[in-house]
C-alpha cells in the first residue's frame, strides 16, 4: 500500500497576489466613511482594524524577508498557545497604535506594501525551507511554497471578512475557483494535524468534499499509526463529509458558530470520525 500512495501536490499561488490585492484596494476605495467602522466576524475588530492588521503583516513580511530585520521576539514561548498569545498581543498593539491613521493613508500604505510583498515572495525558491513554519498544520519546518500559500489564505480570508461586513461579497467576487480553491486546498493541509489524536483502524480512508464551484475533494488515510493526505485511492470510504463552500472558510477561521455551520454540513458514515474537521482551525488561534 505504501508505494501506491500519492501525496498531494504543492500549492503555487504567488502570481495570484497582484489580482487578489488589486481587488482589495478597489474595494477599500469604494467604501463610504461610515463603513470603515462596521463590525466584522473577527471578534472586536472593525473593517478599519482588519485593514490595519493587513498592513502590519505586509510590513513585517517585507522587513523580515527583504531587509532581514526581526523585531524583538516574545519571551517564554514554550507552546503553541504561548505563540498564539504573543501574536494576538502583537496584533492588538498595532491596531491600537494605528487607530489614529486615516483610511486614506491606510489604503495608500497598503497598496504600496502589497506590491512590495509580491516581489519579495516572487523571489523566494518555493522548495527552500521557510523562515517560518505553518504551525496550524503541525509543521516544525515548512517549504516556502506552503508558507506563501498560508500568507495567501490570510490575504484572502481577511478581504472576505471585509466584504461580508460591507455587503460586497457578490461585488467583484473573490470566491471564484481561481482565487478561492487555493485557499481551501491550503486550509485542508491542516487535516493530518487535526486528526493526530484520532485513532482508528489501519487503512481507514476519509473523504472531505467542499461543495460548490470553487470546491474539491480531499482524502485522509490512516497508515502506520499516522494520518496523511493522499490522492484518491480505491479503498472503501469510512466517512464522507460535505461542507458548503460558502461556510468552509468561515468554519476554518473561527468565523462562524459551529452549531450554525452544521446546517451546511452533511456526513455519510461514521459521524464520530467527522467531528475533528468540524473543529479544525487553519489560522493561528
Amino acid at each position: 500500500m505504501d508505494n501506491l500512495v500519492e501525496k498531494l501536490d504543492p500549492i503555487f499561488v504567488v502570481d495570484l497576489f497582484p489580482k487578489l490585492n488589486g481587488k482589495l484596494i478597489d474595494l477599500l476605495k469604494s467604501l463610504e466613511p461610515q463603513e470603515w467602522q462596521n463590525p466584522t466576524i473577527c471578534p472586536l475588530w472593525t473593517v478599519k482594524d482588519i485593514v490595519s492588521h493587513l498592513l502590519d503583516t505586509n510590513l513585517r513580511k517585507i522587513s523580515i524577508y527583504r531587509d532581514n530585520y526581526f523585531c524583538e521576539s516574545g519571551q517564554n514561548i514554550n507552546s503553541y498557545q504561548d505563540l498564539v498569545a504573543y501574536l494576538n498581543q502583537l496584533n492588538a498593539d498595532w491596531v491600537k497604535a494605528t487607530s489614529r491613521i486615516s483610511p486614506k493613508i491606510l489604503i495608500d500604505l497598503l497598496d504600496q506594501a502589497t506590491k512590495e510583498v509580491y516581489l519579495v515572495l516572487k523571489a523566494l525558491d518555493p522548495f527552500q525551507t521557510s523562515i517560518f513554519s505553518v504551525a496550524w498544520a503541525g509543521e516544525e519546518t515548512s517549504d516556502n511554497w506552503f508558507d506563501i500559500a498560508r500568507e495567501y489564505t490570510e490575504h484572502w480570508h481577511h478581504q472576505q471578512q471585509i466584504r461580508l461586513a460591507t455587503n460586497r461579497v457578490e461585488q467583484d467576487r473573490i470566491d471564484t475557483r481561481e482565487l478561492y480553491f487555493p485557499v481551501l486546498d491550503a486550509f485542508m493541509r491542516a487535516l493530518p494535524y487535526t486528526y493526530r489524536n484520532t485513532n482508528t483502524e489501519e487503512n481507514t480512508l476519509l473523504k472531505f468534499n467542499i461543495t460548490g464551484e470553487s470546491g474539491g475533494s480531499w482524502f485522509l488515510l490512516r497508515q502506520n499509526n499516522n494520518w496523511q493526505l493522499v490522492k484518491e485511492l480505491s479503498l472503501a470510504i469510512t466517512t464522507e463529509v460535505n461542507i458548503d463552500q460558502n461556510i468552509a472558510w468561515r468554519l476554518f477561521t473561527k468565523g462562524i458558530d459551529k452549531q450554525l455551520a452544521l446546517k451546511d454540513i452533511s456526513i455519510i458514515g461514521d459521524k464520530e470520525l467527522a467531528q475533528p474537521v468540524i473543529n479544525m482551525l487553519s489560522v493561528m488561534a
Side-chain angles (χ1 to χ4, degrees), residues 113-157:
T114 53
K115 291 172 181 173
E116 187 64 33
V117 163
Y118 166 66
L119 296 177
V120 167
L121 298 179
K122 181 80 170 173
L124 295 175
D125 180 337
F127 295 104
Q128 288 294 315
T129 301
S130 173
I131 293 174
F132 299 104
S133 67
V134 183
W136 49 252
E139 296 199 347
E140 294 184 3
T141 62
S142 300
D143 286 346
N144 278 323
W145 69 259
F146 194 16
D147 188 47
I148 292 168
R150 179 208 56 76
E151 185 75 16
Y152 180 81
T153 69
E154 288 286 315
H155 286 233
W156 190 95
H157 93 265

Side-chain angles (χ1 to χ4, degrees):
M1 171 69 71
D2 283 341
N3 53 3
L4 297 177
V5 170
E6 285 187 81
K7 295 187 178 181
L8 301 195
D9 297 326
I11 304 167
F12 300 115
V13 292
V14 169
D15 289 327
L16 293 178
F17 276 85
K19 183 171 185 176
L20 179 68
N21 290 327
K23 286 178 177 285
L24 174 61
I25 298 303
D26 289 343
L27 167 66
L28 298 180
K29 288 179 177 178
S30 76
L31 297 183
E32 297 295 333
Q34 66 274 15
E35 290 181 294
W36 285 81
Q37 300 306 320
N38 283 10
T40 70
I41 59 172
C42 192
L44 305 179
W45 278 6
T46 65
V47 167
K48 186 173 183 286
D49 294 335
I50 289 181
V51 176
S52 180
H53 169 64
L54 283 169
L55 175 61
D56 179 29
T57 59
N58 278 294
L59 292 178
R60 276 191 272 153
K61 182 72 72 173
I62 296 165
S63 297
I64 292 168
Y65 281 82
R66 188 193 68 184
D67 303 335
N68 197 33
Y69 179 81
F70 292 78
C71 67
E72 187 175 331
S73 62
Q75 301 299 312
N76 301 319
I77 297 179
N78 300 311
S79 68
Y80 181 89
Q81 286 307 317
D82 287 345
L83 178 59
V84 170
Y86 167 68
L87 292 174
N88 285 342
Q89 189 60 55
L90 205 66
N91 293 335
D93 289 345
W94 174 271
V95 167
K96 182 178 180 180
T98 53
S99 62
R100 67 198 69 175
I101 295 177
S102 73
K104 187 177 188 312
I105 290 176
L106 284 177
I107 292 173
D108 290 344
L109 292 175
L110 187 60
D111 190 16
Q112 181 180 352
T114 53
K115 291 172 181 173
E116 187 64 33
V117 163
Y118 166 66
L119 296 177
V120 167
L121 298 179
K122 181 80 170 173
L124 295 175
D125 180 337
F127 295 104
Q128 288 294 315
T129 301
S130 173
I131 293 174
F132 299 104
S133 67
V134 183
W136 49 252
E139 296 199 347
E140 294 184 3
T141 62
S142 300
D143 286 346
N144 278 323
W145 69 259
F146 194 16
D147 188 47
I148 292 168
R150 179 208 56 76
E151 185 75 16
Y152 180 81
T153 69
E154 288 286 315
H155 286 233
W156 190 95
H157 93 265
H158 282 311
Q159 181 176 163
Q160 194 72 339
Q161 287 172 340
I162 295 170
R163 290 178 176 276
L164 193 63
T166 59
N167 297 312
R168 284 171 169 79
V169 170
E170 298 297 327
Q171 178 182 309
D172 200 17
R173 292 168 48 198
I174 64 169
D175 60 348
T176 60
R177 184 164 186 83
E178 177 191 22
L179 296 177
Y180 186 23
F181 175 78
V183 175
L184 295 170
D185 197 13
F187 281 168
M188 299 302 272
R189 305 299 171 109
L191 280 168
Y193 183 63
T194 300
Y195 274 78
R196 66 193 181 281
N197 296 321
T198 303
N199 296 315
T200 189
E201 295 177 5
E202 185 79 353
N203 295 325
T204 293
L205 186 65
L206 312 180
K207 183 178 182 181
F208 304 91
N209 305 306
I210 306 298
T211 59
E213 64 175 307
S214 302
S217 297
W218 290 262
F219 298 85
L220 189 65
L221 176 67
R222 178 72 172 178
Q223 195 172 75
N224 300 323
N225 295 318
N226 285 302
W227 292 97
Q228 59 180 312
L229 281 165
V230 299
K231 295 186 178 179
E232 188 167 3
L233 292 172
S234 56
L235 289 175
I237 305 294
T238 302
T239 297
E240 185 168 350
V241 183
N242 300 289
I243 305 173
D244 186 277
Q245 71 171 35
N246 293 318
I247 65 104
W249 71 273
R250 295 179 62 179
L251 185 66
F252 303 140
T253 61
K254 292 182 69 175
I256 191 170
D257 179 84
K258 305 293 183 186
Q259 291 303 311
L260 185 62
L262 287 175
K263 70 181 180 63
D264 292 306
I265 299 172
S266 66
I267 302 166
I268 302 169
D270 188 335
K271 288 181 166 51
E272 232 178 89
L273 285 175
Q275 291 308 306
V277 73
I278 296 171
N279 294 305
M280 186 170 79
L281 285 176
S282 298
V283 291
M284 295 295 290

